Amino acid sequence: MDTGKKGLFITFEGADGCGKTTQINLLNEYLKNKNFETIITLEPGGSDIGKQLRQILLHHDGFVSKRAEVFMYLADRAQHVDAVIKKGVEENKVVLCDRHIDSSVAYQGYARGGDIEQINLLNELATGGYKPDLTFVFDVDSTIAQQRVGETKDRLEKEGLEFHKKVRFGYLELAKKYPQRIKVIDANKTIEKVFEQVKKIIDEIL
Ligand code: TYD
C-alpha cells in the first residue's frame, strides 16, 4: 500500500443492496473520532458535472446504449478524480468513495458482458492511472441483497437476480486478481459484525 503520499483514497464496492452506504457512514464517524479529516463522495454523481450524469444514468426513461452507459460512467469518473478525489487526498484527507473503477468492471463488464480488458483500459484513461489505496467489496448473497433494495428501484436495480449474481461474481473475481488492494467483507452479517471487519482492516493501515 502506498502510504508515502498524503491522505488516503478508499473505495466501497458491492452489488446493489450490499449495505456499503451504512458502512461508509460508520467508518466516517470512526475516522473523525480519531481526528482524521474525511470526505464522503460517490460515483456516479460526486462532482457538479457528475450530478447531471447521475440523473441520466439512473433515471433516464428509454433506450440507453451499452457503450453510452460505459462512457457516461467514465466521464463522471474522470471529472470526479480531477475535481474532487485527488484534491481531497492532496489536502491530506481520507476520501471515502461509494463506488469507483471496480463498479464499471463488475456491472458493465461481468454483468452486461462488456470486454473486461477494454473496460480496464478505459478506466485507466478516465482516472489517468490514479488508483484507490484500498477497496472494500461488501459481499452478500444476491437474494438477500435484492430484498434489501426494496420496492423503489433505479434503472440498474431493476435488472433481475441473474444480473446481480453476475455483478457479485465479478467483484469476487476482481478481489482474487488484486488481493493487495481489494478486501472482501462478509456483508451477510449484522451491521455491527460487518463494521468489525472493516475496522480491523482500517486499524491495520492507520
Ligand atoms: P446508487 O444509487 O449510487 O447505488 P448504490 O447505492 O447501490 O451504490 O447507483 C449507482 C448504480 O450505478 C448502481 O446500480 C451501480 C451502477 N454503476 C455502474 O453500473 N457502473 C459504474 O461504473 C458505477 C460507478 C455505478
Side-chain angles (χ1 to χ4, degrees):
M1 183 154 316
D2 180 6
T3 49
K5 73 181 180 200
K6 289 181 173 180
L8 267 183
F9 175 31
I10 305 176
T11 59
F12 294 72
E13 298 275 2
D16 295 276
C18 70
K20 62 187 162 43
T21 310
T22 307
Q23 296 296 324
I24 293 176
N25 291 328
L26 287 173
L27 182 58
N28 186 41
E29 283 309 308
Y30 183 73
L31 291 171
K32 281 203 298 198
N33 285 335
K34 287 189 177 284
N35 292 325
F36 284 93
E37 270 198 80
T38 59
I39 299 179
I40 296 186
T41 187
L42 81 170
E43 289 184 15
S47 66
D48 46 2
I49 291 177
K51 285 192 182 71
Q52 298 185 47
L53 290 167
R54 179 180 176 90
Q55 185 58 27
I56 302 171
L57 279 161
L58 300 191
H59 304 293
H60 179 74
D61 192 13
F63 172 70
V64 180
S65 138
K66 282 187 191 179
R67 276 174 289 125
E69 182 181 77
V70 170
F71 283 113
M72 281 190 275
Y73 279 116
L74 291 164
D76 168 75
R77 185 159 302 136
Q79 182 72 14
H80 193 208
V81 167
D82 289 350
V84 179
I85 299 172
K86 274 193 196 166
K87 198 165 157 273
V89 173
E90 277 159 17
E91 287 169 358
N92 219 0
K93 292 178 180 152
V94 181
V95 178
L96 305 172
C97 182
D98 193 338
R99 299 194 179 282
H100 188 61
I101 45 174
D102 304 304
S103 283
S104 288
V105 180
Y107 281 79
Q108 282 65 50
Y110 283 95
R112 287 244 195 268
D115 184 306
I116 309 286
E117 285 317 309
Q118 269 182 10
I119 294 173
N120 282 336
L121 180 63
L122 291 168
N123 262 334
E124 198 74 19
L125 291 172
T127 61
Y130 197 75
K131 289 266 163 21
D133 296 295
L134 172 68
T135 298
F136 289 110
V137 162
F138 293 87
D139 182 54
V140 66
D141 177 85
S142 302
T143 314
I144 295 175
Q146 290 272 284
Q147 285 163 2
R148 284 186 188 166
V149 168
E151 291 302 308
T152 328
K153 295 186 167 76
D154 65 39
R155 204 174 59 81
L156 282 104
E157 286 165 351
K158 281 183 190 143
E159 296 286 348
L161 185 61
E162 283 315 305
F163 179 87
H164 285 95
K165 280 186 178 166
K166 288 183 200 160
V167 170
R168 182 185 185 194
F169 174 80
Y171 277 124
L172 294 177
E173 287 297 299
L174 277 164
K176 274 191 231 158
K177 213 162 151 190
Y178 307 106
Q180 279 291 100
R181 173 173 68 84
I182 303 182
K183 306 295 172 196
V184 179
I185 301 291
D186 177 0
N188 294 294
K189 304 190 168 152
T190 60
I191 290 174
E192 293 74 24
K193 287 249 162 66
V194 175
F195 189 59
E196 285 293 309
Q197 301 170 64
V198 172
K199 210 163 64 178
K200 189 162 176 278
I201 292 167
I202 286 293
D203 286 342
E204 281 165 14
I205 292 165
L206 299 177

